[in-house]
Amino acid sequence: MRKFILFASILLSSSIFLNFTTPPTEIHRILQTAFEVEGFQEFIKDKTADAPLVIVTNQMIPNDFELNYDNRNIVVVENKESLQQEPKQPVLEITDFDIKKKKAMVQFRYGEYRIAIKLKKGEHIWSSSYSYVRGGGYLNWSF
C-alpha cells in the first residue's frame, strides 16, 4: 500500500508540474511580443541608440533563446554578475513574469523606470492589452 501511495503521489506531482510549466517557445513569443509593443519601442529606442540592449532574466525564465529589438539581437543574461563589462546604459531587468492561461504580465526595471506590459492570447497570437511606465518624472504613462 505504501508503494502505491508513493507511486501515486509522484505521478500526481509530476503531472501537475508538467501541466503548469510553460514551454520556452511560448515564453519567447510573450517576450518578443512585449518588445514589439509600439510605445515600448519608442520609449527604449531613444536610450539604446549606441549600445546593444541587455536584458537580465534574474533566473525567472530560461535564457537560452534569442530576442530581437529594432532589427538587433538582444543580449540575454541570467543575472547582472554574468555581464562581461558594465553596459553604457541601464539594463532591462525582468522583475516579474507571470502567465495564467491566456494572460501574461511582464514587468521590467530600466534604470529609474518601472515598465509593465500585460498581454492576452487570441488565436495562438499574443497581443498587448495594457502597458505603462512609472518613474523618471512619469507618474503613470500608458502606451
Side-chain angles (χ1 to χ4, degrees):
M1 184 69 177
R2 285 184 180 176
K3 287 182 182 180
F4 174 75
I5 292 172
L6 179 63
F7 176 75
S9 63
I10 290 171
L11 184 63
L12 179 64
S13 64
S14 65
S15 68
I16 289 171
F17 176 76
L18 291 175
N19 285 335
F20 290 114
T21 57
T22 304
T25 55
E26 197 68 15
I27 293 170
H28 177 261
R29 285 187 198 124
I30 290 168
L31 284 175
Q32 192 63 54
T33 302
F35 287 122
E36 292 170 0
V37 171
E38 189 174 327
F40 179 74
Q41 285 188 1
E42 294 302 316
F43 178 76
I44 297 294
K45 186 178 279 190
D46 297 338
K47 298 162 181 57
T48 61
D50 300 350
L53 182 60
V54 177
I55 182 169
V56 176
T57 64
N58 287 324
Q59 301 174 344
M60 291 186 186
I61 59 172
N63 60 337
D64 57 347
F65 51 82
E66 291 185 11
L67 293 169
N68 295 304
Y69 163 74
D70 197 26
N71 296 322
R72 297 182 292 177
N73 282 344
I74 297 172
V75 178
V76 181
V77 296
E78 195 170 270
N79 51 44
K80 285 185 177 180
E81 290 77 30
S82 60
L83 291 171
Q84 297 295 328
Q85 61 186 21
E86 193 65 30
K88 294 180 182 179
Q89 81 280 346
V91 298
L92 192 61
E93 186 175 354
I94 296 178
T95 57
D96 191 19
F97 189 89
D98 189 28
I99 303 172
K100 292 183 181 167
K101 296 185 181 183
K102 295 189 175 205
K103 294 182 179 181
M105 167 113 121
V106 184
Q107 293 184 354
F108 303 100
R109 182 176 316 133
Y110 187 71
E112 61 185 345
Y113 301 100
R114 304 294 176 263
I115 303 166
I117 300 175
K118 293 182 182 180
L119 304 158
K120 61 183 177 181
K121 188 174 185 180
E123 290 294 319
H124 307 290
I125 298 173
W126 288 95
S127 61
S128 173
S129 61
Y130 180 74
S131 308
Y132 66 83
V133 175
R134 290 187 180 144
Y138 297 113
L139 292 176
N140 191 358
W141 179 54
S142 299
F143 53 85

